[in-house]
Amino acid sequence: MKNFIQKIAKFFEPSKNLVLISLAFWVTHILLRVMLLFRSNPYGFPFVSKPDWFIFHAVCIDFMWICNALVVFMVLGGIAAKIASSRCAASAIQKVAKVTTIAYTVFHSVILLFTLLDNEVQRFLGGHLSFGLVDTYKDTSSIAMFYDYVANDLSIPYLQFVVLVLMLPLTYGLYKLLSKHYRTPDGFRMKKSVIAMVIFYIASYLFVYFIWTGNARMAKLRPVVSLVYNDLFVAKSAAGLSEQELASYRTAYQNLWQRVEGDNLWKFSDDKEGHGLPLYRVPSAELQNSEKLAAQREMKPNFILVLMESHRGLNTGYMNPQIQPSPTPFLDSIAANSHVWMRMHTSGVPTTGGVLSTHLGIPHHSRLSQATDLAHVTLPSFVSVLTNNGYSTHYMSAADPAWDNLGVWMAKWYTAEHYSREREDDSTFMEHAAQYVRDTLSKAGKPFLATLMTRSNHYPFNFAAGMTDEQKARPLQERINVTMNYADRQLAHFIRSIQNEEWYKNTYVIIMADHGFPLGENGVSTMNGGGFSNISWIPFIIHGKGLEPVHDTTTAAQIDIAPTILELAGFAVPNIFMGHNLLRDTETTLNADSTIVKKELAGLSLGAYSGYSALGLDKYRVVSKTNSNDEVYLFDDGDMRQEHDLAKTEAERTAKMHATLDTLIKISDYSLEHGL
């Protein structure tokens, strides 16, 4: 063992300075992480509501990438020293070591400066520093704007400049202290430290990637080196659209959208306000002046939008009568008296995908972590329209919206956000939401939108308060029924707490899920395993004035919700929604016996699901691995369990729909990346 340690010490002796430099910069990075996570954003709100859930991961992540960089420079320095020793004198080897040390120090100094900038970009804009963001804010006026932001930072004004001036001298001071500490003749302390570093690296890797995982947290904590690599190699490898391709896709998309819409009340426009986006469309004067919309505006209806965490259509009673007893008896009772869409699909996963798709009317990005990577892009939602037209808009979440960066998006659109660590169970969350809506929003003298995002039915389906050990020990396929039933009871409590209020008569209650969850159906049991109905098929109900009870079999998706809500509010404004108003009027014809027959409403459902995408159109649904021909499935739109793949027997239809799906996903990705 002693000989082994001596060999390690001899190997690391020429690189001792690199090890000490690494440790000094690591400590400085820890201090930067603390100032980011435990400090409020510039607007006075916590950057994250649970910094203790982030800081240990941040320490481990920074340690791992710094060690990776250390190994790379040691290998390169070793190769250079080997070459020098075979050709030059011993002094040349010392020069190589000196150059390696200087290069390593410069590398870390540059990374440290950009880390500080990335931290401030996250605090101000909600997303990481990227080439796309630099391109967006490349004009000189942005520099002056940044100075104004720093001066008005509600946390500690000008702290950024103090840190900028002090962090490199601090790192140098740490390096000198470490050098003094490790100045021993036998190098024993260095030996122990290197062994400890190896052990801590292994422990960090296990902790971050196996023990306490979380994609949203990892996205928020990505180090600058990872961001640069992603921008240079991963993002750039994705093919962009040439002008010819964009023109071709634009025409195909707009023709398809108009065919599904079925009227001429909207027109696609090349106005500069549309920023050249293929999605940009404007309402006709006929639509803007319609009596129907005027009547809705006169009503000034309130909206309550409830997003139920992971509620699968397969486990919702009124959607799947085979499941007995129903886990969702209250939702079933509302469905019996509401307009219900029986073939509603999510347009993105996980929660960020479903929530953002619902607000934006565009499917989640097929490659990027949209909530983080595109936070700087200007993308208006239906909430923006309501807020700009006098509505009081409030986003209430049982889960921390800062966890997955949704809080940044909600802050753009809503009047206010509501979250507390004390209200993470659906019981306390719904109780508080009912009280706030009843006692505050309804008495503010303005129409309101209250959006509620629940939590208790989240994977691994053991969050529901009061679950017994026996219930928690059940298989996932059974356990989800327990947590869905618990969430259903809290929804019942919420609705019953407000349904007898006078203002409730002028309120549309919209209940839906953010997404489903795969539990082994179609051979898939992970969120990244496909775009089948186990993950996409969700409940969607609208209950309110003027809506008759209907079980609607029009294929639909979350991208349809934004235009549908604005229809109910009476607003027709220029927008970039890919979806359709699900309550739009349809043409009528006369039968031979003079009875009026409504033309069946056409529908289109579109979604992107972590490497997969799906399209529902013309009574069929195609599911495919995005930008690939490896996996393509075709199902009848009524085959909600998707048990009968028709891809081989309907090869021509499959190929056509797959091509259409590819076009739509490319158009949506392009629009999300460019914004308005």
Side-chain angles (χ1 to χ4, degrees):
M1 183 66 178
K2 185 176 180 181
N3 291 335
F4 176 71
I5 294 176
Q6 288 176 342
K7 288 181 180 180
I8 292 178
K10 184 178 180 181
F11 178 80
F12 279 103
E13 185 60 32
S15 304
K16 181 174 73 173
N17 283 342
L18 300 189
V19 175
L20 299 181
I21 290 169
S22 299
L23 292 175
F25 274 102
W26 179 46
V27 173
T28 306
H29 276 283
I30 291 174
L31 295 175
L32 290 183
R33 293 287 199 179
V34 169
M35 285 188 288
L36 173 67
L37 297 172
F38 289 87
R39 185 168 153 225
S40 68
N41 67 19
Y43 317 109
F45 301 99
F47 177 72
V48 293
S49 301
K50 299 177 180 176
D52 50 312
W53 282 31
F54 288 81
I55 186 61
F56 299 110
H57 289 77
V59 169
C60 293
I61 289 169
D62 285 337
F63 184 80
M64 286 190 291
W65 78 256
I66 287 173
C67 285
N68 292 341
L70 171 63
V71 171
V72 170
F73 273 85
M74 286 175 58
V75 170
L76 293 177
I79 293 173
K82 189 73 174 176
I83 295 173
S85 65
S86 63
R87 298 183 180 180
C88 308
S91 60
I93 299 176
Q94 295 178 350
K95 288 183 179 179
V96 169
K98 185 176 181 179
V99 169
T100 303
T101 301
I102 293 173
Y104 190 61
T105 304
V106 170
F107 165 78
H108 270 297
S109 299
V110 171
I111 293 297
L112 192 65
L113 292 170
F114 276 100
T115 297
L116 176 62
L117 180 58
D118 178 57
N119 288 355
E120 293 307 310
V121 167
Q122 285 198 77
R123 291 181 67 244
F124 281 97
L125 297 178
H128 281 290
L129 184 66
S130 66
F131 294 147
L133 185 141
V134 172
D135 184 60
T136 301
Y137 297 102
K138 60 180 177 291
D139 58 285
T140 53
S141 63
S142 297
I143 299 175
M145 186 184 303
F146 181 74
Y147 180 83
D148 290 338
Y149 279 145
V150 170
N152 293 282
D153 192 330
L154 294 181
S155 173
I156 304 176
Y158 302 111
L159 178 62
Q160 298 88 341
F161 296 135
V162 175
V163 175
L164 177 64
V165 171
L166 294 180
M167 63 183 184
L168 287 177
L170 171 66
T171 307
Y172 179 73
L174 289 169
Y175 167 73
K176 297 300 287 184
L177 285 174
L178 290 169
S179 298
K180 183 178 180 180
H181 178 72
Y182 284 97
R183 195 180 297 155
T184 56
D186 60 357
F188 184 65
R189 288 178 179 171
M190 177 60 69
K191 302 170 193 174
K192 290 196 298 183
S193 295
V194 170
I195 294 172
M197 288 173 68
V198 172
I199 294 172
F200 188 71
Y201 185 98
I202 295 171
S204 296
Y205 186 86
L206 294 174
F207 177 67
V208 169
Y209 293 106
F210 294 97
I211 297 174
W212 194 3
T213 60
N215 292 333
R217 175 171 45 215
M218 292 296 288
K220 189 177 283 289
L221 296 178
R222 274 183 296 184
V224 165
V225 287
S226 175
L227 299 173
V228 172
Y229 177 84
N230 184 73
D231 266 13
L232 288 176
F233 302 105
V234 179
K236 296 299 182 185
S237 66
L241 298 181
S242 66
E243 290 186 10
Q244 293 81 2
E245 287 174 325
L246 181 59
S248 174
Y249 292 153
R250 178 195 303 268
T251 300
Y253 161 72
Q254 293 178 356
N255 288 341
L256 176 60
W257 191 92
Q258 291 287 17
R259 175 170 76 82
V260 174
E261 184 72 3
D263 58 42
N264 296 312
L265 297 177
W266 291 90
K267 182 182 74 172
F268 288 97
S269 171
D270 295 327
D271 292 347
K272 63 179 181 179
E273 291 82 4
H275 200 58
L277 293 185
L279 310 183
Y280 187 69
R281 53 188 171 90
V282 297
S284 65
E286 178 186 353
L287 179 59
Q288 289 178 306
N289 298 324
S290 71
E291 294 182 3
K292 182 180 179 181
L293 290 187
Q296 291 297 119
R297 287 195 299 273
E298 182 67 23
M299 278 176 53
K300 295 183 180 178
N302 306 304
F303 294 92
I304 295 175
L305 171 60
V306 183
L307 289 150
M308 304 294 288
E309 173 67 53
S310 302
H311 265 50
R312 309 189 332 151
L314 290 168
N315 292 78
T316 301
Y318 76 87
M319 301 176 76
N320 181 17
Q322 296 179 24
I323 187 167
Q324 293 294 332
S326 170
T328 57
F330 181 74
L331 197 59
D332 302 342
S333 68
I334 294 182
N337 298 283
S338 307
H339 194 134
V340 175
W341 281 263
M342 299 296 289
R343 298 178 184 177
M344 167 62 72
H345 294 269
T346 182
S347 293
V349 295
T351 296
T352 52
V355 172
L356 291 178
S357 298
T358 297
H359 284 76
L360 294 170
I362 305 174
H364 191 264
H365 199 284
S366 67
R367 303 184 315 277
L368 302 178
S369 298
Q370 183 178 328
T372 302
D373 295 337
L374 299 179
H376 63 284
V377 180
T378 301
L379 292 164
S381 74
F382 78 88
V383 181
S384 327
V385 178
L386 295 179
T387 305
N388 294 338
N389 282 277
Y391 272 71
S392 180
T393 53
H394 294 254
Y395 182 75
M396 307 175 186
S397 179
D400 182 4
W403 164 256
D404 46 19
N405 220 45
L406 276 177
V408 173
W409 294 80
M410 301 305 120
K412 297 179 185 181
W413 303 325
Y414 284 85
T415 307
E417 298 175 69
H418 304 261
Y419 162 76
S420 170
R421 294 184 75 161
E422 306 302 317
R423 299 191 297 267
E424 291 196 329
D425 181 79
D426 282 357
S427 175
T428 52
F429 169 68
M430 286 294 197
E431 183 177 354
H432 169 78
Q435 181 180 353
Y436 189 82
V437 171
R438 183 181 59 241
D439 299 339
T440 302
L441 289 186
S442 67
K443 297 178 180 179
K446 301 170 69 175
F448 64 82
L449 161 70
T451 299
L452 282 61
M453 180 71 234
T454 70
R455 179 177 182 268
S456 292
N457 189 49
H458 195 286
Y459 176 86
F461 311 116
N462 58 9
F463 290 150
M467 286 184 72
T468 65
D469 291 339
E470 184 275 328
Q471 289 173 328
K472 291 182 178 180
R474 294 177 187 177
L476 284 175
Q477 292 86 345
E478 298 178 21
R479 202 156 69 225
I480 191 175
N481 292 328
V482 177
T483 51
M484 281 185 66
N485 181 257
Y486 177 81
D488 188 72
R489 296 199 307 272
Q490 309 319 312
L491 174 65
H493 174 73
F494 171 77
I495 296 296
R496 288 167 181 159
S497 297
I498 61 176
Q499 66 183 2
N500 294 323
E501 301 290 330
E502 187 63 28
W503 53 264
Y504 186 82
K505 299 175 183 177
N506 193 39
T507 300
Y508 289 106
V509 177
I510 303 166
I511 304 171
M512 56 178 291
D514 56 348
H515 55 75
F517 199 92
L519 293 175
E521 304 88 356
N522 302 95
V524 177
S525 56
T526 67
M527 290 289 277
N528 299 327
F532 298 105
S533 61
N534 51 14
I535 200 171
S536 72
W537 188 32
I538 58 173
F540 179 54
I541 294 171
I542 302 182
H543 179 81
K545 192 174 182 179
L547 296 178
E548 298 296 326
V550 174
H551 276 207
D552 196 327
T553 57
T554 303
T555 187
Q558 286 172 330
I559 59 174
D560 297 316
I561 293 168
T564 302
I565 289 179
L566 291 186
E567 164 81 8
L568 290 171
F571 299 121
V573 298
N575 64 74
I576 54 173
F577 304 143
M578 291 186 77
H580 299 264
N581 165 25
L582 296 174
L583 298 171
R584 65 190 183 277
D585 293 328
T586 58
E587 294 179 6
T588 57
T589 57
L590 285 177
N591 279 339
D593 59 359
S594 298
T595 56
I596 298 176
V597 178
K598 260 192 172 185
K599 183 181 177 182
E600 185 179 354
L601 196 67
L604 181 149
S605 58
L606 179 66
Y609 314 108
S610 300
Y612 288 79
S613 50
L615 167 68
L617 181 67
D618 297 332
K619 301 188 182 302
Y620 288 88
R621 186 168 178 84
V622 65
V623 179
S624 168
K625 202 167 187 178
T626 304
N627 297 322
S628 172
N629 292 316
D630 294 342
E631 294 182 45
V632 184
Y633 308 89
L634 183 72
F635 303 98
D636 185 282
D637 200 41
D639 179 12
M640 300 311 301
R641 293 177 178 273
Q642 296 184 335
E643 296 173 327
H644 307 289
D645 182 13
L646 306 175
K648 292 182 179 179
T649 57
E650 295 272 3
E652 184 177 349
R653 184 186 298 277
T654 302
K656 184 177 179 180
M657 287 191 66
H658 186 227
T660 302
L661 172 60
D662 181 66
T663 295
L664 296 178
I665 291 298
K666 286 179 177 176
I667 283 289
S668 65
D669 283 354
Y670 175 89
S671 301
L672 289 171
E673 292 166 19
H674 289 78
L676 288 177

